Amino acid sequence: MIDAKNVTITDSEWEVMRAIWTMGQTTSRELINAMDELQGWSDSTTKTLLHRLIKKGAVEQIGESRPFTFKPVVGEKESMSAAADDLFDHMCAMRAGSTIAQVIKTRELSKSDIEELQQILAEKAKDAPEMVDCNCLPGKMTCEEDS
Amino acid sequence: MIDAKNVTITDSEWEVMRAIWTMGQTTSRELINAMDELQGWSDSTTKTLLHRLIKKGAVEQIGESRPFTFKPVVGEKESMSAAADDLFDHMCAMRAGSTIAQVIKTRELSKSDIEELQQILAEKAKDAPEMVDCNCLPGKMTCEEDS
DNA sequence: ACACTAAGTCTACATCTGTAACTTATGTGA
DNA sequence: TCACATAAGTTACAGATGTAGACTTAGTGT
C-alpha cells in the first residue's frame, strides 16, 4: 500500500480523489460524468487528472479488457491527515491550537466525532505543557500577541 | 484591513509571512537574513517573495526614505484559519472529524489550548447531529467505511 | 470484415511557483 | 560631490498545475 505521505495531491486532483473514494471503484465514464456534474469539467480534464493520479500512484487501473476500472490506492483518511499535517507543518506551532479551535467551530461534527475529540483531549491534557514555543524564527520563543 | 480570505499565500510565501509575523515589523535586510538562515534562500528569492506578497496585499511597505520597513497587512490567525478552512473545504465533510482528531493527536497543544478546545466541544455537543453527510457526490449520503 | 463509437493516450498551453541573476537607484562616507 | 555599498526593482526560467483539444485504439453491432 502506497503511503499517502509520499503522494502530493493538488487541488483539482483532490476533487477527483474525493469522487473516486466515494464511489469506491469506478470506470472512467462514471468518473467523467461525475466531474462534469460536480465541476463542469470537460472529459479531457478528468482524464488528464486521472492519469496524473495513476502516475503518482494514488489510483490504479484494474481489469484487462477495455472499460477499465479504477480504484484508489491511497486511503482517504490517510491522505486527509497527510494534507492537514502538511498544512500545520508550515504554520506557527504556537498558534495551532487557535486554528484547530476555529476549524472545530466552523465544521459540522457528529456526536461521535465530538466524543472522540473529547476523549483525545482528555488524554492529552494529562501532560500538556503550559505553553507551546513559537518555532518561526531561531531564538524566538513567542510571537507577538495577535490583533 | 484586507481580509485574509482573499489572499492566497503559497508555501514559500508562507515561510516569509511567518517570519514577518513573528518579527512584527522588519526591514528587508533583516528578513533576507532570516530567510537565509531559516531556508538558505538567496537575497533575491526573499525579495521576490516579499514583492509578490506586497502585490497580493498581504504585506505593506512603510516609510519614505530608504531602508523601508515592511509589515503584515493580513493577520496570522486569520490567515491560518483561512488556509485551514480552504483545506477542509475540499475534503469530505464526513471525515473532517477524524482528520481533526489526527491533527490534535500530533500537534503540541498547551493546557489553555486544550481547555479552549474542550470548551468549544462541550458547547458544540449540545446540538450535534448523529451523523454528518458525505458531501462528495450528489445524492451520496455516506462514503464507504475506511480501511 | 468493417465502420463506428467509446475509452484511452498525447500534446498543448497559459498561469502559477520556486528560485535566483542582473540592473538600477540612492543614502553616505571620503 | 563622487564613488561605493546597499536596497529596491526587473527579468528569467524550469517545473507544476489547471484545463482541454487532438489523435489512437479497441470492443461491437451489422
Side-chain angles (χ1 to χ4, degrees), chain B residues 10-12 41-42 44-45 48 52:
Chain B
T10 70
D11 282 357
S12 301
W41 286 345
S42 85
S44 307
T45 300
T48 300
R52 285 183 186 166

Side-chain angles (χ1 to χ4, degrees), chain B residues 7-19:
Chain B
V7 182
T8 308
I9 297 172
T10 70
D11 282 357
S12 301
E13 287 167 358
W14 201 272
E15 297 303 330
V16 175
M17 288 308 294
R18 278 176 74 173

Side-chain angles (χ1 to χ4, degrees), chain B residues 93-105:
Chain B
M94 222 188 122
R95 300 191 194 283
S98 80
T99 303
I100 295 171
Q102 209 275 342
V103 170
I104 292 179
K105 276 189 213 149

Side-chain angles (χ1 to χ4, degrees), chain A residues 34-67:
Chain A
M35 298 322 290
D36 176 24
E37 184 170 355
L38 289 163
Q39 314 278 332
W41 286 346
S42 84
D43 292 22
S44 306
T45 300
T46 302
K47 288 192 233 174
T48 299
L49 259 3
L50 180 58
H51 277 265
R52 286 185 185 164
L53 285 165
I54 290 170
K55 192 180 302 175
K56 288 184 183 185
V59 169
E60 80 183 332
Q61 195 185 47
I62 54 194
E64 45 254 43
S65 71
R66 261 217 181 177

Side-chain angles (χ1 to χ4, degrees), chain A residues 121-134:
Chain A
L121 285 170
E123 194 55 41
K124 226 179 152 70
K126 288 181 192 165
D127 47 16
E130 216 57 59
M131 183 165 213
V132 175
D133 286 344
C134 161

Side-chain angles (χ1 to χ4, degrees), chain A residues 2 9 21-22 71 77 86 110-111 127 136:
Chain A
I2 289 190
I9 297 172
W21 278 319
T22 307
K71 74 181 192 47
K77 255 164 86 172
D86 235 51
S110 71
K111 282 193 197 311
D127 47 16
C136 295

Side-chain angles (χ1 to χ4, degrees), chain A residues 56-144:
Chain A
K56 288 184 183 185
V59 169
E60 80 183 332
Q61 195 185 47
I62 54 194
E64 45 254 43
S65 71
R66 261 217 181 177
F68 295 129
T69 301
F70 298 88
K71 74 181 192 47
V73 175
V74 297
E76 182 167 20
K77 255 164 86 172
E78 299 78 63
S79 298
M80 288 176 68
S81 295
D85 260 355
D86 235 51
L87 183 76
F88 281 88
D89 276 348
H90 64 220
M91 287 178 166
C92 176
M94 223 188 120
R95 300 191 194 284
S98 81
T99 303
I100 296 170
Q102 209 275 342
V103 170
I104 292 179
K105 277 189 211 147
T106 53
R107 297 291 144 182
E108 214 190 354
L109 297 175
S110 71
K111 282 193 197 311
S112 69
D113 281 333
I114 293 178
E115 274 160 33
E116 187 192 358
L117 296 179
Q118 286 174 321
Q119 168 59 47
I120 294 169
L121 285 170
E123 194 55 41
K124 226 179 152 70
K126 288 181 192 165
D127 47 16
E130 216 57 59
M131 183 165 213
V132 175
D133 286 344
C134 161
N135 60 343
C136 295
L137 287 180
K140 264 275 193 182
M141 283 296 106
T142 60
C143 306
E144 301 304 318

